[in-house]
Amino acid sequence: DLVAVEDVAVTVTHGGYLKRTAVDTYRRQSRGGKGRIGMGTRTEDFVEYFLVASTHAYLLVFTNMGRVYWLKIYEIPDASTTGKGKNVSNLINLQPDESVKAFLAVKDFVPDTHVVMVTRHGVIKKCELTEFDNPMSRGIIALGLDEGDELIAARLSSGSDLIFLGSHEGQAIKFQETQVRAMGRPARGVRAMDLEEGDYIVGAEVVREDALMLDRK
């Protein structure tokens, strides 16, 4: 009750540093403007994730080991545009060799909203968002993983979207989300894409029927 309800910009670097900044800090500029510094980083680091959420929303943090942790947005350090924030390992209790792979901002754990998770070896799993409404400081299992596999992406979906997957060797697939049934948290998931030997999934997105995809080299 003591935390004001406001929208903030959350930035996360590749090295795992998080911070929140009031949206009003980024004043509007005309096209062609110089812009302003959004976050300070070390020489070898760079901003990898950016999202806008309410201070009273949850930030779901998914790791390569298929676990999910919770943070209240207001628990993320409030820093100036030039500050780098605090490392995620100081905010949640990551296990040894565990690294963060995805962030989802969630205001309410409502029915009919899903979390779609994809692994490096082409396995996909869909869960009801309500499966993640019981926060625990040590995190919980979001999906079971095969030996040598890891989670690479997690996205929110409406239950009737399209799933787009892309592989390291340039292969891609798009299919209806309805082809993947919702499962409980401990389940492994199902095969989403057959991969050639040595190939692996590098990206996954939830898209609309008329959406455009931007390829990043």
Side-chain angles (χ1 to χ4, degrees):
D1 292 340
L2 299 177
V3 178
V5 179
E6 61 176 340
D7 286 339
V8 294
V10 178
T11 47
V12 188
T13 73
H14 182 73
Y17 285 88
L18 288 81
K19 74 166 187 175
R20 62 181 170 92
T21 306
V23 171
D24 293 343
T25 303
Y26 303 95
R27 61 182 177 83
R28 180 177 298 179
Q29 295 180 321
S30 60
R31 184 174 62 85
K34 177 182 178 182
R36 64 177 303 168
I37 295 174
M39 186 176 194
T41 61
R42 297 183 178 184
T43 304
E44 69 277 9
D45 205 1
F46 56 89
V47 175
E48 189 167 21
Y49 301 96
F50 177 86
L51 54 92
V52 176
S54 166
T55 49
H56 282 227
Y58 282 100
L59 186 67
L60 301 185
V61 182
F62 291 82
T63 72
N64 62 320
M65 293 184 176
R67 298 180 65 84
V68 59
Y69 298 81
W70 291 260
L71 277 175
K72 272 289 192 178
I73 296 294
Y74 64 71
E75 294 175 342
I76 299 172
D78 186 7
S80 66
T81 55
T82 57
K84 69 176 183 178
K86 183 178 290 187
N87 195 278
V88 65
S89 62
N90 295 321
L91 299 172
I92 58 177
N93 298 318
L94 292 174
Q95 298 181 4
D97 300 322
E98 193 171 25
S99 60
V100 174
K101 290 296 182 179
F103 297 88
L104 296 178
V106 176
K107 182 64 183 296
D108 299 300
F109 293 87
V110 295
D112 300 324
T113 299
H114 298 82
V115 177
V116 175
M117 294 162 282
V118 179
T119 76
R120 178 183 174 94
H121 292 172
V123 174
I124 188 170
K125 179 184 171 186
K126 182 171 73 174
C127 277
E128 290 274 359
L129 181 59
T130 51
E131 294 273 355
F132 302 93
D133 63 357
N134 185 24
M136 300 177 69
S137 60
R138 67 177 185 273
I140 61 172
I141 296 173
L143 81 163
L145 291 169
D146 295 334
E147 183 71 24
D149 202 1
E150 65 174 335
L151 177 71
I152 61 109
R155 302 286 185 266
L156 291 175
S157 73
S158 67
S160 58
D161 294 312
L162 296 172
I163 308 297
F164 182 94
L165 307 180
S167 79
H168 179 267
E169 297 301 323
Q171 299 298 305
I173 188 173
K174 183 179 72 172
F175 54 90
Q176 293 286 342
E177 178 191 345
T178 52
Q179 296 182 30
V180 183
R181 65 179 180 86
M183 304 178 184
R185 284 194 298 104
R188 168 188 176 275
V190 297
R191 175 65 56 187
M193 183 176 180
D194 290 325
L195 299 167
E196 297 290 339
E197 184 176 356
D199 199 6
Y200 53 91
I201 300 295
V202 295
E205 292 294 338
V206 172
V207 298
R208 303 184 310 274
E209 184 69 45
D210 58 347
L212 299 175
M213 300 298 298
L214 179 64
D215 182 24
R216 182 181 69 178
K217 293 185 178 180

